[in-house]
Amino acid sequence: MKTRRLGNSDARISEIGLGCMTMTGIYGPADDAESIATIQAALDRGVDFIDTSDAYGGGKNEELVGKAIAGRRDSAFIATKFGNIYARDPERGADGRPEYVREACDKSLQRLGIDVIDLYFQHRVDRQVPIEETVGAMKDLVEAGKVRFLGLSECSTDTLRRAHAVHPISAIQSELSLWTQFALNEHIPVCRELDVTYVAYSPLGRGMLTGAIRGDADLPEKDRRREHPRFQGDNLKHNVAVISPIESLAKAKGCTPAQVALAWVLAQGDDIVPIPGSKRLDHLNQNIAATEIALTRDELQELHDSIPPDFTAGSRYPDAQMWTVDA
């Protein structure tokens, strides 16, 4: 497994990570034993960048990761997050108060069963608390030896600059995929200016780019994607067209659509690390194999022409949640 440098630090992480959010039933049912086996198989294959959050399953996701890495701490680079309280307090959405930062960190360390968090993200920016205060508290965690590196998730470029002035931000996390390309012109140029890694979640378009979703019937009844405008009504009917050019290229290259989608993200720069969510071994192995697929300049241009940046219809999150991103 090749590695990529983590922002302005001296740490290196696998060029593709493992997103663990789906292991707690957010996109349909999940099996704990299979999820743990998937995390351990990822570590066996050199995928050391494991991403979780205290918001996933109300902390149960961190507990699951903790069980999977027990006895294997040295082979795992653990990223977790705090501050996304939308599920229990949709009016506030995020909590960045210094006292909450400290409390959340201690609880995450306990659930994960580790002494230090490798990369600690503010999951959502609290608009009621100056970012300088939140990152100041995160800086204290670094100085206390509880956290190694700091990150922000779903922040604006202005927030990133202000946070970086308080303490080096090693990574930001947001979406990037063939149907979510806003970061290429907005966030990634600023990340490169500040030497910050861009961690790309949902690089498979929440499953759309795999070819597994052709219509509403392909989503489980309690699947959270049903709440997202991109997966509803006329938006969904339009968006499923995204898979056709990806499938055509995948057929020509003898790989899967998901592998083409991941190869596209990897091709956007060595300072970008995708974290596809996998809860099954076969999907994990397919994702890892994507790191060996090289897209030519002509193939990248073909995808750009077929799937322009403004292709996708519908917002990334339900309207009630969109105010919590790019904060």
Side-chain angles (χ1 to χ4, degrees):
M1 175 59 63
K2 297 175 184 177
T3 62
R4 296 186 169 184
R5 184 169 61 88
L6 178 66
N8 38 57
S9 77
D10 58 358
R12 299 193 69 85
I13 56 178
S14 52
E15 67 175 336
I16 189 170
L18 175 62
C20 296
M21 181 186 75
T22 59
M23 294 179 179
T24 40
I26 292 176
Y27 292 169
D31 179 84
D32 284 358
E34 185 172 25
S35 295
I36 290 172
T38 298
I39 295 172
Q40 294 175 341
L43 297 177
D44 290 340
R45 297 287 303 276
V47 177
D48 60 3
F49 185 40
I50 309 298
D51 181 87
T52 181
S53 170
D54 65 1
Y56 303 157
K60 292 182 179 179
N61 199 266
E62 288 181 321
E63 293 175 354
L64 184 75
V65 170
K67 292 177 182 178
I69 66 170
R72 306 189 61 176
R73 178 66 180 96
D74 292 343
S75 61
F77 188 97
I78 301 299
T80 192
K81 315 176 194 74
F82 75 92
N84 185 349
I85 62 169
Y86 184 86
R88 68 174 186 271
D89 189 349
E91 291 188 7
R92 184 176 179 95
D95 194 338
R97 294 173 298 126
E99 59 269 30
Y100 183 81
V101 175
R102 293 187 288 268
E103 176 187 350
C105 179
D106 287 342
K107 289 182 177 179
S108 287
L109 287 169
Q110 183 177 18
R111 284 189 290 262
L112 289 162
I114 59 179
D115 297 323
V116 60
I117 296 166
D118 295 309
L119 177 58
Y120 202 35
F121 286 101
Q122 182 181 16
H123 201 165
R124 290 292 187 272
V125 175
D126 187 346
R127 296 177 185 268
Q128 299 181 33
V129 178
I131 192 63
E132 290 82 1
E133 293 184 16
T134 302
V135 175
M138 296 169 72
K139 177 182 177 181
D140 291 343
L141 296 175
V142 175
E143 294 174 348
K146 295 182 178 182
V147 170
R148 294 178 63 199
F149 306 109
L150 303 185
L152 301 177
S153 179
E154 292 292 4
C155 66
S156 68
T157 55
D158 177 65
T159 295
L160 172 59
R161 291 184 187 279
R162 290 168 54 196
H164 198 69
V166 176
H167 185 278
I169 300 299
S170 296
I172 70 168
Q173 184 174 144
S174 189
E175 288 193 59
L176 178 63
S177 71
L178 274 165
W179 82 333
T180 308
Q181 300 184 37
F182 69 90
L184 294 177
N185 293 323
E186 297 178 20
H187 292 73
I188 291 175
V190 177
C191 285
R192 287 174 175 160
E193 174 191 334
L194 301 176
D195 199 10
V196 174
T197 291
Y198 189 94
V199 176
Y201 75 78
S202 295
L204 300 179
R206 303 180 190 273
M208 179 63 76
L209 306 184
T210 68
I213 301 172
R214 303 289 179 171
D216 181 77
D218 295 319
L219 297 173
E221 184 177 348
K222 295 184 179 181
D223 193 305
R224 196 173 73 177
R225 286 171 291 188
R226 287 183 172 275
E227 302 172 8
H228 294 207
R230 290 185 170 187
F231 291 91
Q232 296 174 345
D234 291 339
N235 288 342
L236 179 59
K237 292 178 182 178
H238 167 84
N239 291 337
V240 294
V242 72
I243 194 61
S244 180
I246 299 173
E247 285 182 327
S248 295
L249 182 55
K251 183 177 181 179
K253 296 184 75 67
C255 64
T256 68
Q259 289 170 331
V260 167
L262 284 174
W264 179 88
V265 175
L266 288 164
Q268 303 309 306
D270 290 341
D271 51 357
I272 297 171
V273 176
I275 51 168
S278 306
K279 55 186 177 182
R280 290 169 40 185
L281 287 169
D282 55 342
H283 290 167
L284 170 71
N285 291 329
Q286 289 177 28
N287 292 342
I288 292 174
T291 64
E292 302 299 324
I293 296 172
L295 299 179
T296 67
R297 182 174 300 179
D298 287 345
E299 288 168 340
L300 289 169
Q301 186 62 48
E302 177 185 339
L303 288 172
H304 176 78
D305 293 342
S306 301
I307 312 169
D310 61 352
F311 170 85
T312 311
S315 56
R316 295 194 291 132
Y317 286 98
D319 292 341
Q321 285 182 256
M322 280 302 294
W323 67 272
T324 68
V325 302
D326 198 31

